[in-house]
Amino acid sequence: MSGLDRLCIHTITNKPWTFEELLDQYASAGVGGVSIWQNAIEDMGANKAATLLEDYSIQVVSYVRGGFFPGSSEQARSKAIDHNKKMIDEAAAVGAPILVLVCGAEPTQNLVHSRNQIKEGLEAILPHATEAGVKLAIEPLHPMYADTRSAINTMEQANDMAEVFDSEYVGVAVDVYHLWWDPHLEAEIKRCGAKGNLLAYHICDWKYPTEDMLNDRGLMGEGCIPIAEISRWVKEAGFNGFEEVEIFSTKYWSMDQNEFLNKIISSYKELIKT
Ligand code: ZN
């Protein structure tokens, strides 16, 4: 054991690498899991990606991402449903047990309306997901993204949505970057675990100052998120899956990716020591 058996890295984190490069590097570093972003395998396709994966002992943790259900026209919403079904099929093809959902928001309508459309979207794709054996993980996003990326912005909203379905195929992905500020986080994580809805756990850090709202995430320990404390809540809620490092960073994408991977691993080891 490398001590990294519960470490998973999202392919977007090492965006400059090809999928093959990622797998080679993660495997030789002893990283236990990978979460695959669609763009990483778009050119080769899910079936070729699945064939490649057979040569590695790395576990596919999740496929990223579906969602974006709200839309101002019926046509836009039904296109989103078709797209989500395709993402479910691709997740199944690469052996991902979970499809992460960035649920979407339509800025020309209010958030309640968008949340209703998210519920309708989930209803429409759930039979497909169940049949494919792929769980849908609702990822609440920080409210700074409530304009276009997600009308689900707190764990409470994500829990409410997941509980409507009461299905083992609908749950929640907890991402510290989006949720660390929430005074109800501990209680809502506990609620999520108690309902059996805690499907995934994403980590990185919130740098201060943050220079870019999307692409300036930090390495664990580099910012102000109490990650060790949140990790404890997640464990206490019964979650024993992977800790998934998901860092979008123009700064880190511009550096040598092997050097960056070393930084990820050392900051992860530092985190799990605490
Ligand atoms: Zn995330």
Side-chain angles (χ1 to χ4, degrees), residues 10 37 64 100 139-141 173-178 201-203 217 244 246 248:
H10 281 234
W37 279 58
V64 194
V100 176
E139 180 165 349
L141 258 52
V174 172
D175 186 324
V176 300
Y177 190 76
H178 297 297
Y201 180 51
H202 300 174
I203 55 173
R217 294 189 181 196
E244 306 182 35
E246 183 190 30
F248 321 138

Side-chain angles (χ1 to χ4, degrees), residues 33-236:
V34 65
S35 278
I36 302 172
W37 279 58
Q38 201 244 351
N39 70 307
I41 60 164
E42 199 167 14
D43 292 340
M44 72 175 70
N47 292 329
K48 167 123 193 268
T51 309
L52 259 177
L53 280 158
E54 285 169 11
D55 294 335
Y56 299 88
S57 59
I58 296 176
Q59 199 171 320
V60 178
V61 176
S62 59
Y63 194 58
V64 194
R65 59 194 190 195
F68 293 97
F69 297 108
S72 50
S73 69
E74 177 77 50
Q75 196 193 8
R77 296 195 296 278
S78 99
K79 207 170 144 196
I81 286 162
D82 291 343
H83 180 69
N84 276 278
K85 288 180 179 168
K86 182 169 171 273
M87 292 296 99
I88 290 166
D89 293 340
E90 291 183 14
V94 297
I98 292 170
L99 176 67
V100 176
L101 301 178
V102 170
C103 290
E106 168 52 52
T108 62
Q109 64 193 24
N110 73 41
L111 292 168
V112 174
H113 198 156
S114 284
R115 281 195 283 276
N116 283 333
Q117 292 178 347
I118 290 167
K119 184 160 88 49
E120 287 164 10
L122 282 164
E123 265 160 14
I125 66 167
L126 182 54
H128 196 85
T130 307
E131 199 173 319
V134 174
K135 297 184 179 187
L136 304 169
I138 300 164
E139 180 165 349
L141 258 52
H142 190 282
M144 69 180 167
Y145 302 123
D147 55 351
T148 56
R149 285 196 172 79
S150 187
I152 295 182
N153 307 106
T154 63
M155 267 305 277
E156 184 182 20
Q157 289 168 345
N159 280 331
D160 287 348
M161 186 65 76
E163 287 170 22
V164 165
F165 292 93
D166 190 24
S167 159
E168 64 171 307
Y169 286 95
V170 180
V172 179
V174 172
D175 186 324
V176 300
Y177 190 76
H178 297 297
L179 301 170
W180 66 276
W181 55 273
D182 183 350
H184 304 297
L185 186 57
E186 182 179 7
E188 290 294 332
I189 285 175
K190 194 179 277 188
R191 170 184 164 192
C192 191
K195 292 280 180 185
N197 284 338
L198 215 171
L199 298 183
Y201 180 51
H202 300 174
I203 55 173
C204 68
D205 215 336
W206 183 288
K207 286 165 66 183
Y208 48 93
T210 288
E211 288 166 9
D212 182 291
M213 292 309 224
L214 192 59
N215 295 322
D216 191 30
R217 294 189 181 196
L219 280 160
M220 295 76 74
E222 204 181 358
C224 56
I225 302 180
I227 311 173
E229 188 176 31
I230 300 173
S231 295
R232 183 166 52 76
W233 297 341
V234 163
K235 279 183 199 131
E236 284 170 0

